[in-house]
């Protein structure tokens, strides 16, 4: 193993960056490989084009005749671009994407060959779905699952394959993916938000949820990654002593991008631009070898698809540049992990961002309406929102110094807090002309000015308002954004639905004017949601105690966090909003628990192999070296050798103690794993892995890291942090 390590180091040091050719303006490349509106105008009939647009913007169905026309146009475009295959590109509950390629090529009854692709192949496919996780919806032998075309996300060509974004459902209709629930949630928020937006503008016909993600990741030379069993199998380092230098100097953050990395980024941006992914920002992150990229905001469903596609493309481009991209939330101990901040807002078809203040009191009342309702939604369903970011890998990050805590709270800044405090004092019922004037001119009317100067930021807040959007910071770097976006948009749809009912009741039954009714309901929401607002530091025992006093949930691990998914309140919420039924919720929960169990199980097995097959043998080899040295000294010095060999004997004793302890801990961890595997339910098994197996990992790591510091460098089997994180 040490040989593999040193060969990897030698290989990594010979790398040269791949020089990228200049491609001119990126705007000329944008969407080249996407079947977007320009391509549809060129390749579709007028009837087909109008039907597709209607499906995208009004949600209307596309009949078989039109589907055949669309398929013919899509095929003609794909063939003109050099495509040879097509696939339904979907998002099973693995958290990644899936695809099965079929050739356009086919043989006709007369034996002649031709390229064939019709409406039936476009609209629906039946992949062999038996091996995808279903949470008990289907038995393994029941392979029938259907992928169905999602026309709201445009088809694209990747390499030589036409990729058609689709949902994935069971034969019985339940969602077996992350996209179908997201689309339902987006439909729900569209309906609810449009109804409320029409209080302020009758011309609004549709509201879109928008999403802008910030993708953090690590880049490590692929030879170095291949030399680490844990990075290959688990995506993170299970052992490894911290390097003398980490991120203490803050010299990597926003620093000069290394040439090799810049070549990778340039190549990635070129491919993303062709695929219609509007990546815009790139920079070094805080930790060594950590980076970030971010796109322009897009409609949420398309943005989710683009993020998943981006991660696939990143892995391919990284390999081309002799890197491995690490999406794990905490691949290295002692330095920052990686997240994927989700910047969320709502926008109307009239071009208005509903979470951005306007230039008139009425527009600002609209802003306050959606702003306060967001706070109220998060307050009511904070535990459910926390569940959307739960995973075995993100558990390592949440609550660490660089990430939000596991307690959900909202930061809005002192200035907006002051505005809400003033609104809390609004009179109940009808407002006097003087109070209306005061509210509109001196409270609501000053919001743009307040936000202009609202420069205070809170990097530890899990859910922060940042001027014209809310930033959900707890999302893990390898998480499918569909999970948090489904829950956030569902709870917001429910909240806005309830809000409209309350406002309408005050107008109809109490004879209040619209703005009076809105102010009255917002006042009560501000009062009842105060507990979720927190402006301070999210770390430390003080906030833990305060959160407990406020009765906020504090689910510190995934098995705890996932329990709320099937609570009576959650089931009712998702049913009322038409997003998921109880069967789907239980299935999703079961799949998430299963994923947690398997991740911890794999890490335990890998750690055991590293200890038994590599770390202990290396320690024993070093013991033998020390023993030979002591024996040689004894031959030379005789009885006086003990004084001369005292340092060697001391190290020998320490190594021996660590071997005994690491072997003991690993044996105990293995037995704990066996006991966990014998439990009957996924919940019990996940809790056992969390409480009884996982704690051994840190204890074993401690012993391994002490051995790494003691054992001669040429005997240590694994590439060290100083080698992994500072190779250029």
């Amino acid at each position: 193993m040490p040989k593999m390590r040193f060969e990897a180091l030698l290989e990594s040091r010979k790398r040269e960056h791949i020089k990228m050719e200049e491609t001119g303006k990126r705007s000329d490349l944008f969407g080249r490989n996407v079947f977007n509106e320009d391509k549809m105008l060129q390749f579709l009939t007028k009837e087909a084009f109008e039907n597709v647009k209607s499906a995208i913007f009004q949600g209307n169905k596309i009949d078989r005749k039109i589907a055949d026309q669309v398929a013919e146009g899509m095929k003609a475009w794909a063939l003109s671009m050099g495509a040879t295959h097509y696939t339904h590109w979907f998002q099973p509950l693995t958290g990644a994407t899936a695809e099965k390629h079929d050739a356009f090529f086919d043989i006709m009854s007369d034996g002649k060959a031709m390229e064939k692709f019709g409406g039936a192949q476009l609209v629906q496919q039946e992949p062999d779905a038996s091996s995808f996780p279903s949470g008990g919806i289907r038995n393994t032998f029941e392979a029938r699952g259907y992928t169905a075309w999602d026309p709201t996300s445009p088809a694209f060509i990747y390499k030589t394959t036409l990729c058609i974004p689709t949902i994935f459902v069971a034969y019985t209709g339940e969602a077996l993916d992350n996209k179908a629930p997201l689309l339902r949630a987006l439909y729900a928020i569209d309906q609810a938000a449009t109804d409320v937006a029409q209080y302020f503008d009758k011309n609004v016909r549709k509201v879109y949820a928008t999403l802008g993600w910030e993708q953090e990741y690590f880049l490590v030379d692929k030879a170095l990654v291949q030399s680490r069993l844990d990075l290959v199998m688990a995506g993170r380092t299970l052992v490894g002593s911290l390097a003398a230098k980490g991120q203490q100097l803050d010299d990597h953050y926003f620093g000069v991008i290394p040439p090799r990395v810049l070549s990778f980024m340039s190549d990635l941006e070129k491919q993303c631009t062709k695929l219609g992914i509007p990546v815009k920002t790139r920079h070094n992150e805080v930790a060594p070898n950590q980076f970030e990229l971010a796109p322009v905001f897009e409609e949420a469903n398309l943005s989710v698809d683009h993020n998943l596609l981006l991660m696939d493309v990143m892995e391919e481009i990284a390999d081309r540049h002799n890197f491995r991209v690490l999406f794990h939330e905490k691949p290295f101990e002692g330095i920052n992990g990686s997240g994927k901040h989700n910047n969320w807002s709502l926008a109307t078809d009239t071009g208005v961002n509903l979470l951005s203040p306007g230039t008139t009191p009425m527009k600002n009342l609209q802003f306050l309406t959606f702003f306060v309702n967001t706070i109220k939604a998060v307050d009511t369903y904070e535990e459910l929102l926390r569940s959307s970011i739960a995973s075995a890998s993100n558990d390592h990050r949440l609550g660490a110094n660089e990430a939000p805590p596991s307690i959900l709270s909202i930061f809005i800044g002192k200035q907006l807090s002051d505005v809400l405090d003033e609104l809390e004092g609004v009179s109940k019922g009808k407002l006097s002309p003087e109070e209306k004037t005061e509210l509109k001119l001196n409270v609501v009317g000053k919001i743009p000015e307040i936000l202009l100067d609202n420069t205070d930021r809170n990097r530890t807040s899990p859910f922060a308002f940042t001027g014209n959007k809310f930033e959900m910071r707890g999302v893990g770097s390898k998480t499918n954004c569909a999970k948090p976006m489904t829950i956030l948009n569902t709870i917001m749809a429910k909240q806005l639905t309830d809000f409209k009912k309350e406002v309408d009741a005050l107008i109809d039954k109490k004879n209040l004017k619209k703005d009076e009714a809105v102010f009255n309901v917002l006042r009560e929401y501000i009062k009842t949601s105060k507990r979720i607002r927190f402006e301070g530091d999210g770390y430390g025992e003080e906030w833990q105690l305060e959160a407990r006093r406020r009765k906020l949930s504090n689910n510190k691990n995934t098995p705890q966090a996932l329990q709320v998914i099937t609570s009576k309140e959650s089931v009712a919420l998702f049913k009322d909003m038409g997003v998921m039924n109880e069967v789907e919720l239980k299935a999703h929960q079961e799949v998430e628990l299963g994923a947690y169990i398997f991740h911890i199980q794999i890490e335990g097995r890998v750690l055991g192999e590293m200890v038994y097959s590599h770390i202990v043998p290396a320690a024993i080899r070093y013991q033998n070296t020390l023993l030979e040295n002591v024996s040689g000294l004894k031959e030379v010095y005789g009885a006086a050798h003990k004084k001369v060999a005292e340092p060697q004997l001391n190290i020998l004793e320490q190594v021996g103690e660590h071997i005994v302890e690491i072997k003991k801990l690993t044996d105990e961890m293995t037995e704990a794993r066996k006991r966990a595997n014998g439990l009957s339910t996924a919940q019990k098994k996940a809790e056992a892995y969390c409480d009884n197996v996982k704690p051994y990992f840190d204890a074993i790591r401690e012993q391994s890291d002490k051995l790494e510091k003691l054992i001669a460098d040429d005997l240590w089997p694994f590439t060290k942090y100083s080698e992994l994180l500072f190779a250029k």
Side-chain angles (χ1 to χ4, degrees):
M1 197 68 180
K3 182 183 177 184
M4 184 177 181
R5 171 190 162 203
F6 291 116
E7 286 177 348
L9 285 169
L10 186 62
E11 187 176 347
S12 70
R13 287 167 184 165
K14 292 179 180 177
R15 307 282 196 209
E16 292 184 5
H17 74 274
I18 301 171
K19 293 182 179 179
M20 299 303 301
E21 293 182 9
E22 293 295 327
T23 56
K25 293 188 297 182
R26 280 178 58 196
S27 57
D28 293 338
L29 289 177
F30 187 70
R32 178 178 291 181
N33 293 349
V34 181
F35 195 62
N36 53 25
E37 189 169 320
D38 289 343
K39 312 299 192 316
M40 286 192 282
L41 281 169
Q42 185 179 351
F43 286 90
L44 296 185
T45 64
K46 183 179 179 182
E47 181 184 25
F49 175 77
E50 289 176 351
N51 271 264
V52 172
K53 295 289 285 183
S54 178
I56 294 170
F57 295 106
Q58 279 83 47
N60 296 330
K61 290 186 177 181
I62 296 175
D63 63 30
R64 178 58 184 272
K65 175 192 167 187
I66 297 299
D68 283 336
Q69 293 180 28
V70 174
E72 188 60 36
M74 202 179 281
K75 181 190 75 173
W77 169 71
L79 292 175
S80 74
M81 295 291 290
T84 58
H85 290 70
Y86 64 90
T87 183
H88 275 201
W89 186 74
F90 60 103
Q91 306 169 25
L93 297 177
T94 57
T97 60
E99 53 197 62
K100 181 188 72 151
H101 297 193
D102 287 302
F104 289 116
F105 171 85
D106 206 352
I107 301 292
M108 300 297 100
S109 57
D110 60 1
K112 293 181 179 178
M114 68 175 294
E115 274 65 36
K116 187 179 178 183
F117 180 66
Q121 289 78 39
L122 169 64
V123 172
Q124 183 174 301
Q125 292 279 288
E126 185 184 339
D128 180 357
S130 59
S131 295
F132 288 117
S134 69
I137 288 178
R138 295 173 300 106
N139 293 312
T140 303
F141 61 84
E142 295 172 330
R144 296 183 76 177
Y146 295 100
T147 51
W149 177 35
D150 168 21
T152 65
S153 186
F156 57 91
I157 292 173
Y158 187 50
K159 298 180 183 177
T160 58
T161 302
L162 172 66
C163 300
I164 303 158
T166 57
I167 62 170
F168 182 42
V169 296
Y171 175 68
T172 49
E174 285 90 1
L176 296 174
D177 68 346
N178 291 303
K179 180 185 263 282
L182 174 64
L183 289 173
R184 296 170 189 163
L186 295 175
Y187 176 78
I189 189 65
D190 173 22
Q191 299 295 303
T194 298
D195 286 346
V196 173
Q198 286 181 349
Y199 280 146
F200 309 97
D201 183 357
K202 294 293 184 183
N203 294 317
V204 173
R205 291 292 177 266
K206 191 172 182 64
V207 171
Y208 303 91
T210 63
L211 170 64
W213 36 262
E214 302 169 30
Q215 181 69 61
E216 294 178 340
Y217 61 97
F218 280 84
L219 276 181
V220 179
D221 188 275
K222 68 179 181 182
L224 300 181
V225 171
Q226 286 298 126
S227 71
R228 293 276 313 208
L229 180 65
D230 46 6
L231 278 177
V232 171
M233 302 297 288
R236 74 178 183 104
T237 54
L238 299 172
V239 299
S241 180
L242 304 187
K245 180 190 175 189
Q247 60 189 45
Q248 307 97 310
L249 301 178
D250 295 324
D251 54 347
H252 190 258
Y253 191 52
F254 280 24
V256 176
I257 300 172
R260 215 177 131 201
V261 175
L262 189 59
S263 291
F264 158 79
M265 289 178 168
S266 298
D267 197 355
L268 176 64
E269 287 177 348
K270 179 180 177 181
Q271 299 306 318
C272 286
T273 303
K274 289 180 180 179
L275 290 165
I277 306 172
V279 291
K280 187 173 178 67
T281 302
R282 65 189 187 194
H283 63 83
N284 290 3
E285 257 299 336
V286 174
N289 282 8
Q290 187 187 33
F291 307 94
E292 180 183 299
L293 64 81
V296 176
F297 278 59
E298 296 181 285
E299 184 275 327
N301 176 48
L302 181 59
S303 184
V304 168
D305 282 359
H306 277 166
N307 181 248
L308 290 168
L309 178 57
L310 170 97
M311 291 195 286
D312 290 343
V313 175
M314 284 178 76
E315 290 182 336
E316 184 200 345
I317 302 297
D319 185 67
R320 186 186 301 169
H321 291 259
N322 294 304
F323 283 121
R324 283 287 180 270
V325 59
L326 304 180
F327 290 118
H328 193 287
E329 284 80 359
K330 197 73 173 176
F332 302 104
E333 190 70 24
I335 57 175
N336 280 11
S338 298
K340 180 155 44 190
H341 295 186
N342 278 206
N343 296 279
W344 171 87
S345 190
L346 296 170
T348 69
D349 58 348
T350 58
V352 175
N353 178 354
L354 294 171
L355 286 173
S356 181
T359 54
T360 66
M362 182 55 72
K363 288 181 179 178
N364 283 335
L365 182 55
Q366 175 178 266
F367 157 72
L368 277 173
T369 295
F370 285 92
F371 178 70
V372 173
N373 271 280
T374 304
I375 295 172
K376 178 64 175 171
V378 175
D379 175 65
T380 304
Y381 297 104
E382 46 90 15
E383 189 171 13
L384 186 61
L385 197 56
R386 162 68 177 94
S387 75
S388 72
I389 58 174
S391 70
S393 52
N394 209 24
D395 280 358
H396 294 286
R397 173 177 164 267
L398 293 177
N401 285 337
E402 81 283 358
S406 55
I407 304 168
L408 213 66
S409 63
I410 293 179
F411 170 83
I412 61 172
K414 184 180 183 303
Q415 291 89 342
L416 279 171
S417 292
D418 291 343
V419 170
L420 297 194
D421 289 344
E422 288 195 59
L423 289 174
E424 197 177 332
V426 169
S427 299
K428 190 172 183 179
K430 290 190 176 183
L431 308 180
S432 67
E434 294 77 16
E435 189 171 9
K436 276 189 182 181
T437 302
E438 174 67 18
L439 281 171
K440 289 181 178 180
L441 294 182
N442 296 326
V443 179
V444 179
K446 285 188 175 180
I447 288 174
E449 177 187 336
I450 287 169
L451 288 181
L452 189 65
D453 297 326
N454 187 14
T455 56
D456 55 336
R457 297 290 298 276
N458 185 326
R459 300 302 300 173
T460 67
S461 175
F463 202 88
F465 184 71
T466 56
N468 59 2
K469 63 191 182 299
F470 279 96
E471 185 175 7
M472 190 173 175
R473 295 183 177 138
V475 183
S477 52
K478 70 176 185 178
T479 298
N480 183 338
C481 298
K483 295 178 184 179
M485 286 299 102
T486 296
I487 290 181
L488 179 55
N489 285 290
T490 300
I491 65 175
M492 189 61 178
K494 171 63 173 170
Q495 178 54 47
L496 290 171
T497 300
D498 292 346
F499 171 77
K500 187 171 190 305
K501 287 178 182 176
E502 292 184 53
V503 170
D504 287 350
L506 289 177
I507 294 171
D508 296 338
K509 296 178 182 178
K510 300 291 185 179
N511 202 28
L512 296 187
K513 291 183 179 179
K514 179 185 65 181
D515 53 352
E516 291 175 328
V518 169
F519 275 125
N520 269 263
V521 176
L522 291 182
R523 179 195 62 233
E524 295 307 308
Y525 286 174
I526 292 167
K527 288 179 179 178
T528 56
S529 64
K530 287 185 80 169
R531 66 167 190 159
I532 200 73
R533 286 159 45 198
F534 179 63
E535 306 296 309
D537 188 346
Y539 303 121
E541 186 65 26
E542 186 178 337
W543 170 231
Q544 304 266 331
L545 294 172
E546 174 61 19
R548 191 180 307 154
R549 187 189 68 77
R550 297 187 186 193
K551 297 183 179 179
L552 292 170
S553 65
N554 185 11
N555 295 321
K556 295 182 178 180
N557 58 60
T558 295
Q560 287 179 2
L562 294 177
Q563 290 188 66
V564 70
I565 292 175
T566 52
S567 69
K568 187 188 300 183
E569 293 78 13
S570 296
V571 171
L573 165 72
F574 284 104
K575 181 182 176 183
D576 290 348
M577 294 296 101
V579 174
M580 281 192 276
N581 60 35
E582 187 170 4
V583 172
E584 290 171 319
L585 286 170
K586 287 181 177 178
H588 279 241
Q589 182 187 56
E590 193 82 5
V591 169
E592 294 289 342
L593 287 169
Y596 179 86
I597 292 164
F598 290 136
H599 276 102
I600 305 299
Q601 185 184 76
I602 289 167
E603 289 188 352
R605 289 174 175 173
V606 171
L607 187 55
E609 183 178 345
M610 293 175 78
V611 169
Y612 293 137
S613 301
H614 302 286
I615 296 170
V616 169
I620 291 172
R621 279 195 293 273
Y622 189 50
Q623 277 185 321
N624 291 336
T625 300
L626 291 171
L627 285 169
E628 288 176 16
N629 179 262
V630 172
S631 296
L633 290 172
K634 186 175 182 181
E635 286 182 18
V636 174
Y637 292 100
H641 81 282
K642 288 186 178 179
K643 184 176 181 181
V644 180
E646 185 177 351
Q648 294 91 320
L649 291 169
N650 180 264
I651 294 172
L652 192 62
E653 184 178 354
Q654 289 183 63
V655 170
E657 289 173 354
H658 292 315
I659 289 174
V660 170
E661 189 63 20
I662 199 170
K663 171 71 166 54
K664 172 177 167 289
L665 289 168
T666 307
D667 289 345
E668 290 175 359
M669 182 265 290
T670 303
E671 290 304 312
R673 212 172 63 234
K674 289 177 181 177
R675 288 192 295 273
N677 290 337
L679 296 174
S680 57
T681 68
Q683 184 67 41
K684 289 179 180 178
K685 196 178 289 188
E687 289 171 354
Y689 265 99
C690 180
D691 299 334
N692 304 330
V693 176
K694 189 180 171 187
Y696 280 106
F697 293 179
D698 287 339
I700 292 168
R701 181 183 197 124
E702 182 182 3
Q703 296 300 317
S704 173
D705 292 356
K706 287 179 178 178
L707 283 169
E708 181 184 334
K709 291 176 181 177
L710 288 170
I711 292 173
D713 183 67
D714 63 334
L715 293 177
W716 189 250
F718 302 118
T719 309
K720 297 183 176 182
Y721 270 32
S722 57
E723 299 158 347
L724 286 166
L725 292 169
F726 295 95
K728 299 300 182 186

